[in-house]
Amino acid sequence: MRTHPSYLRVLLTFARNSLVRDMTFRGNFLIETLSSMSWVIMNLGFYVLVFQHTPRLGAVTDWGEYAFSWGKYEFFLFLSTTLVINSLVQTLFMENASEFSELIRTGKLDFALLKPIDTQFLISLQRVQWASLGNLAVGVGLAAYSLVRLGWVPTAAQVGLYLLFVACGVAIMYSLMIALAATSIWLGRNQSLYDFWFYITNFSRYPMEIYHGPLGTPLRLFFTFIIPVMVVVNVPARFLIRPLVPQTVSDLTLPAFAILATLVSLTASRYLFQRSLLSYRSASS
Amino acid sequence: MAVVEIESLTKSYRVYHKAEGLAASLAGLFHRRYRDVHAVRGINLTVEAGELVAFLGPNGAGKTTTLKLLSGVINPTSGTARVLGHVPWRRENAYRRRFALVMGQKNQLWWDLPAAESFRLHQQIYRIDRDQYERTRDELTSLLSVRQLLSQPVRELSLGERMKMELIAALLHSPEVLFLDEPTIGLDVVAQYNIQQFLKHYQQQRGITTLLTSHYMKDVAALCRRVVIIAQGQIIFDGSLDEIIGRFGGRKVVTLLFSNGHIPGDLRAYGEVLSAEPPRVKMLVARNAVTATLSRLLEHHPLEDVSVEDPPLEEVIADVFSKAEDIGRRSGAEAAGRLVGG
């Protein structure tokens, strides 16, 4: 008898079941999609306003080798990368991570622990939030529009690397989220999970170049090397915007660091997840 | 062959001792008092293949905790257990494919989807061959007569129907060991009866080893020959239902029908009077004194009819539970298990 399930098939069934559920409540689905898309579009308006005041962001840096500044459409490419990564994280993991805290509180995690399948896989992916995919469409649309305005056509290699590092970014964001969710085993309840995740990942939403000076540099170092959220969007966005030929040392070291950060984040969050299961008390009968 | 082997299994929890009131809650922010709750205290138990064993005990006795330990959902404080040769809390896939846990108080089916969708997910997770899956599903749905409900969202099913679906979900992968934690809780008499009959039939047909906890004596009487009574986290009895009555039901219920319609005033001398509605009297008489008491009664009073019965099982068990609690209290373990479910 085969002892391992086909993870891909299980994932497809999760996605299918979630879609069936979402379609049952189509009004809710529509409102969810529209409200998150309009939030994104309002944000976009905010950045259009910012660029009415300045032509470029991050032109002056105190750490010369990264020196790069972002024009309006370059920044919009950055923004679209943020949208793509966040919408993927929200579609795949957000609902599951907040559900995890609830499963612990109500003792329903029991059922996940009974199944002959990797518990972290099951917990992380069992619900797919299709409504969040709307933002992915906005992100892709915005990227295409910005590329046209800039008159750039990315090469296949650029797109390939972009996708690879988007995947790394998603993995880092997921690790952070599941690690935060795992703490609810010890806290019994962790309802501020989403808030906390939002506060931290907020630092991934802007180009690294803006973090300089006595306040910016410590922030940048902390959110690069301790909690590596700053490489999440910055690294893939660069592959789309700048030519592939490395121009500075950091063009090589930063992507290498992003790969390392992804591996370390995934490993560390898995360790934390496994540890947290040892403390599970299975509330109620 | 022993399927379940438990040796000195112990589970203790540290719980935050919260005093009543706001002031105490504020104080609890800074200084917390904890105490240990011993949910399971050194249990030893062996269950052979194909046995159907009932766990009885008051709330908080450690029944559910024991099932959770055997399912590998929680880790023990000390002691060992093996089910089908596996240590449950290692949660190996090889073990998880071979048993199932059904909990009457928790549901695992997708609330907004038809049960059929959840079943398909189980097929994928347990990797059941399509033919076998369809055969098992059809067999179970017709045995429990819920076939026509398969495509209805679970939230629209009645409690009884939902419980049947939960059972099917748990049995799709043909487990060799089945843990049932109060599978009939909250169900009406008919639904209870149906589930009992199904379990009886299924268990006999498949010969799967089953451990059941229930508060309904009818479940136990209908299903199990072997009964384990747990109280204060310890096993205080392990044997047949009849033995419980023999051992703990120290008195018999004697019903007397007086032929002259009058109830004599000196009945207290013969035993404890339960009810007296002329011409009928019910009384409790010590088991070993029944014959002597009856012959004395017949000698002194005109009796038309006499019957002697065992007291109802519920009463005997309730008596056992309260005795066990007394013993527990005297041994200074009043906290044992009180706060932990099941």
Side-chain angles (χ1 to χ4, degrees):
Chain A
M1 190 155 48
R2 291 160 300 186
T3 52
H4 291 284
S6 154
Y7 281 86
L8 181 64
R9 277 194 157 182
V10 173
L11 181 61
L12 290 176
T13 310
F14 286 153
R16 187 181 160 278
N17 283 0
S18 305
L19 191 63
V20 172
R21 180 200 54 174
D22 285 352
M23 291 301 118
T24 315
F25 306 104
R26 53 191 178 166
N28 178 64
F29 180 80
L30 211 64
I31 290 169
E32 245 179 274
T33 313
L34 289 180
S35 70
S36 71
M37 275 169 81
S38 54
W39 187 81
V40 161
I41 289 164
M42 282 189 281
N43 249 285
L44 200 61
F46 168 76
Y47 291 116
V48 172
L49 277 179
V50 169
F51 279 100
Q52 282 178 355
H53 296 278
T54 173
R56 304 192 78 77
L57 280 179
V60 185
T61 66
D62 57 352
W63 37 299
E65 60 168 354
Y66 283 91
F68 179 71
S69 69
W70 303 75
K72 185 174 171 185
Y73 291 104
E74 287 155 347
F75 181 74
F76 281 2
L77 275 176
F78 184 95
L79 199 63
S80 66
T81 309
T82 308
L83 281 174
V84 166
I85 289 174
N86 279 342
S87 83
L88 284 174
V89 170
Q90 278 175 9
T91 306
L92 295 171
F93 306 116
M94 184 72 88
E95 192 183 347
N96 294 301
S98 51
E99 184 74 15
F100 183 49
S101 169
E102 203 53 24
L103 291 178
I104 290 162
R105 205 176 58 81
T106 57
K108 281 192 181 179
L109 186 65
D110 292 359
F111 290 115
L113 296 171
L114 298 175
K115 300 283 183 298
I117 192 167
D118 184 77
T119 306
Q120 192 182 348
F121 170 84
L122 184 68
I123 289 302
S124 303
L125 287 159
Q126 57 180 337
R127 304 277 151 101
V128 175
Q129 202 179 332
W130 287 97
S132 300
L133 271 190
N135 288 353
L136 182 74
V138 176
V140 172
L142 182 64
Y145 175 71
S146 307
L147 284 171
V148 169
R149 290 302 297 258
L150 288 166
W152 288 349
V153 180
T155 63
Q158 267 180 308
V159 174
L161 283 165
Y162 178 77
L163 294 178
L164 170 71
F165 283 97
V166 162
C168 286
V170 170
I172 290 173
M173 299 290 247
Y174 159 72
S175 302
L176 197 60
M177 188 179 269
I178 202 74
L180 282 173
T183 59
S184 44
I185 283 203
W186 296 293
L187 300 176
R189 177 167 224 184
N190 191 355
Q191 289 193 322
S192 52
L193 174 75
Y194 177 75
D195 298 341
F196 199 60
W197 185 83
F198 187 83
Y199 299 151
I200 293 175
T201 59
N202 205 21
F203 289 95
S204 72
R205 293 165 181 266
Y206 308 99
M208 317 178 83
E209 283 76 9
I210 71 165
Y211 297 95
H212 62 86
L215 180 64
T217 305
L219 273 177
R220 177 172 50 81
L221 294 176
F222 183 82
F223 285 108
T224 305
F225 296 108
I226 310 294
I227 301 175
V229 291
M230 230 174 251
V231 299
V232 166
V233 182
N234 275 282
V235 175
R238 272 176 176 66
F239 278 105
L240 215 51
I241 296 155
R242 310 180 68 179
L244 260 195
V245 187
Q247 297 178 347
T248 62
V249 182
S250 73
D251 282 349
L252 287 173
T253 54
L254 206 58
F257 175 75
I259 299 270
L260 181 73
T262 307
L263 297 176
V264 171
S265 304
L266 285 174
T267 314
S269 62
R270 184 163 179 88
Y271 174 78
L272 197 68
F273 182 85
Q274 308 276 26
R275 280 306 301 265
S276 74
L277 291 187
L278 291 179
S279 307
Y280 176 55
R281 290 168 66 147
S282 178
S284 128
S285 35
Chain B
M1 191 192 74
V3 167
V4 179
E5 295 161 284
I6 306 177
E7 253 178 68
S8 359
L9 195 63
T10 298
K11 176 72 182 176
S12 311
Y13 294 95
R14 224 162 73 112
V15 292
Y16 166 39
H17 184 81
K18 189 179 170 302
E20 213 175 306
L22 180 63
S25 287
L26 288 174
L29 284 176
F30 304 101
H31 180 72
R32 293 207 162 190
R33 285 196 300 142
Y34 292 95
R35 61 197 181 88
D36 285 326
V37 171
H38 306 285
V40 174
R41 300 198 264 178
I43 279 185
N44 295 297
L45 185 74
T46 307
V47 178
E48 301 294 323
E51 267 193 290
L52 212 164
V53 180
F55 281 4
L56 293 181
N59 284 327
K63 307 180 301 279
T64 304
T65 307
T66 307
L67 287 193
K68 282 177 180 170
L69 285 164
L70 293 178
S71 310
V73 165
I74 49 175
N75 292 278
T77 308
S78 66
T80 59
R82 279 178 184 277
V83 185
L84 297 163
H86 296 274
V87 176
W89 43 91
R90 282 195 196 139
R91 293 202 282 266
E92 295 151 318
N93 280 354
Y95 173 54
R96 295 193 289 192
R97 301 179 63 81
R98 294 173 70 186
F99 81 96
L101 168 68
V102 176
M103 290 175 276
Q105 311 252 45
K106 292 181 190 173
N107 48 301
Q108 64 164 329
L109 300 171
W110 280 47
W111 190 247
D112 295 317
L113 293 186
E117 307 286 358
S118 292
F119 293 168
R120 192 165 293 282
L121 185 62
H122 277 231
Q123 185 209 347
Q124 305 284 0
I125 290 175
Y126 286 93
R127 210 158 182 177
I128 310 164
D129 289 331
R130 179 184 267 266
D131 290 347
Q132 199 204 329
Y133 162 73
E134 282 170 3
R135 219 179 318 120
T136 318
R137 183 199 58 195
D138 293 347
E139 187 199 340
L140 292 170
T141 45
S142 52
L143 272 174
L144 284 164
S145 32
V146 285
R147 214 162 175 174
Q148 72 291 352
L149 300 174
L150 266 177
S151 51
Q152 206 164 313
V154 169
R155 72 186 133 81
E156 286 169 14
L157 300 177
S158 72
L159 184 60
E161 291 162 347
R162 214 162 66 219
M163 199 55 227
K164 288 176 177 177
M165 294 298 188
E166 291 283 340
L167 265 173
I168 295 171
L171 295 172
L172 279 174
H173 64 285
S174 312
E176 294 158 61
V177 176
L178 180 60
F179 302 126
L180 298 163
D181 188 26
E182 300 183 28
T184 57
I185 195 156
L187 302 186
D188 65 48
V189 189
V190 178
Q192 261 181 45
Y193 178 78
N194 286 339
I195 287 187
Q196 276 165 18
Q197 290 309 303
F198 165 77
L199 287 172
K200 196 172 181 176
H201 171 86
Y202 191 81
Q203 204 273 340
Q204 275 169 2
Q205 201 187 33
R206 304 270 176 137
I208 60 176
T209 314
T210 309
L211 266 62
L212 164 104
T213 75
S214 181
H215 284 300
Y216 296 109
M217 227 38 76
K218 287 208 172 103
D219 281 357
V220 178
L223 295 170
C224 304
R225 257 178 248 132
R226 183 175 167 196
V227 172
V228 171
I229 298 184
I230 302 183
Q232 311 283 321
Q234 286 170 316
I235 293 182
I236 56 169
F237 174 84
D238 183 352
S240 69
L241 269 181
D242 296 343
E243 263 180 84
I244 295 185
I245 294 170
R247 208 159 119 194
F248 298 102
R251 294 189 286 184
K252 292 243 177 194
V253 178
V254 176
T255 312
L256 308 166
L257 189 66
F258 291 93
S259 48
N260 57 4
H262 290 293
I263 295 178
D266 63 339
L267 281 180
R268 292 241 172 87
Y270 298 95
E272 183 188 333
V273 177
L274 289 175
S275 66
E277 290 161 31
R280 201 180 300 268
V281 170
K282 265 193 181 192
M283 56 196 303
L284 280 174
V285 177
R287 183 175 286 268
N288 50 14
V290 169
T291 339
T293 310
L294 280 182
S295 64
R296 271 198 291 142
L297 273 165
L298 283 165
E299 211 175 292
H300 299 288
H301 302 289
L303 283 167
E304 197 179 302
D305 194 17
V306 166
S307 73
V308 180
E309 294 160 294
D310 280 319
L313 193 56
E314 275 90 348
E315 282 174 26
V316 178
I317 304 256
D319 203 35
V320 176
F321 287 179
S322 64
K323 274 181 195 147
E325 292 222 335
D326 286 348
I327 294 165
R329 215 163 290 145
R330 254 176 279 141
S331 68
E334 60 277 270
R338 199 72 45 78
L339 283 184
V340 181

